[in-house]
Amino acid sequence: MVSNPADPLTSLAHGIGSQHDLPISPFYAFAGAFAALFISFLALGLLWSTSRFHGDRSGRALPAALQRVADAPATRTTLRGLGLAAALAVLLHLLLGPDDPARNPAPGAVYVLFWVGLVPASLLLGPVWRLLNPLRTLHRLLRRTRRRPGPDHPLPPRLGQWPAAAGLFAFTWLELVAPDPASTTTLLIALTVYGTAQLLLAARFGEGWFDDGDAFDAYSALLARLSPLGRRSDGRLVLRNPFHGLDATPERPGLVATVCVLLGSTAYDGFSDNPSWINTLQTSPLGRTPTATLGLLASVALVATLYCLCAAATRLVSGPHPRPLTAFAHSLVPIALGYLIAHYFSLLVVEGPRTVIMAVGTDNASGPAPLLGPGGLAALQVVAVVTGHVLGVVAAHDRSVRLFPPAKAVAGQLPLLALMITYTIGGLSLLLN
């Protein structure tokens, strides 16, 4: 959300508020990040010579009783009902509530409980939005009302996750660029347009459309790749090493675009409260919204360009590969997660409870005191960013030793290491400067 820094709506978009006074030394932050990345890279090169991740073929099966409860029709129906009820509650607040985010919980429900809350929910429970998604439920209900539903049209394979990437970009534009994103009118129009488009496309392509066509279904499923709870290829519910789930990320068209939208939009969010950028928005002859849109596009394009250059360099060093772009795209997921935690942790723990209190009938509800002081928050942000990059290095190395001969596997990691360092410099700079 691009707004005046003094605007109370700013906190709905910027999860950690102003980042210019975080009490941590940039020298120690950068030194620790470089040390973590280089040590990880050297240790992996010396000690990790064969692939250890097995995708969706691994995991320890949970008790059969728990599996039956999780897969029971009653459980799934209850979750779908909860998702539909929550969506209806948000719509009612948008239709009947005041056009003031300080007294209407709907903006907080969309930008905090849903958008940010979906991160820990997916990490802990897997792709939960697949069951909670009210659009899936409405599609099923509408399909049952038709006497003779027509056959579903097959989705073009080359489409992949491109619709999800476009949907995620549209949502981040709404959150970070739109002139009045917390307005009830703005949210009603956005939700109506998006929901109608999704239902029409699902009516043509079937429920499978939501897997790659619904931005939030794809968003939840992507983050759930790092969940310790997952499904094996035989359908069993299992506890697993999250790296196995990450390794099973399908190499689909649009995967790189989806992850780059997450990374680029989060980077823009961190930069958008910089005084120089605010001054640019206020003085641009194009106007505030077009300039902010170009800034968001440029941020996503920069992240994507750096990754594509890295993929080309890896192919040049290690040899040809049939899928040079998507082969290492999964290694960007932990990086995106690290940025999401760094930018939105404070927003979730402060604005989330306030939104819930407001929704149950308390006007002008005040949020709880922050769980962490400025120093603790700064440390959490740095640790989240650096840990995400280290996990990305591990995932990329394991894929590299699987795809390339031993003599070229480590050398092929050098472009990826350079990419991780570049992303780290950018991420920490946004947090600390």
Side-chain angles (χ1 to χ4, degrees), residues 98 102-104 357-358 361-366:
R103 295 188 297 122
N104 191 328
I357 294 170
M358 197 190 314
T362 303
D363 288 336
N364 299 316
S366 58

Side-chain angles (χ1 to χ4, degrees), residues 18-56:
S18 179
Q19 299 141 4
H20 307 298
D21 300 315
L22 294 180
I24 189 170
S25 167
F27 173 80
Y28 290 116
F30 285 114
F34 290 147
L37 288 172
F38 276 114
I39 292 172
S40 300
F41 176 77
L42 291 175
L44 290 169
L46 292 173
L47 305 174
W48 197 308
S49 58
T50 59
S51 176
R52 303 183 184 185
F53 303 146
H54 309 296
D56 57 8

Side-chain angles (χ1 to χ4, degrees), residues 98-112:
D99 192 9
D100 179 3
R103 295 188 297 122
N104 191 328
V110 173
Y111 294 122
V112 182

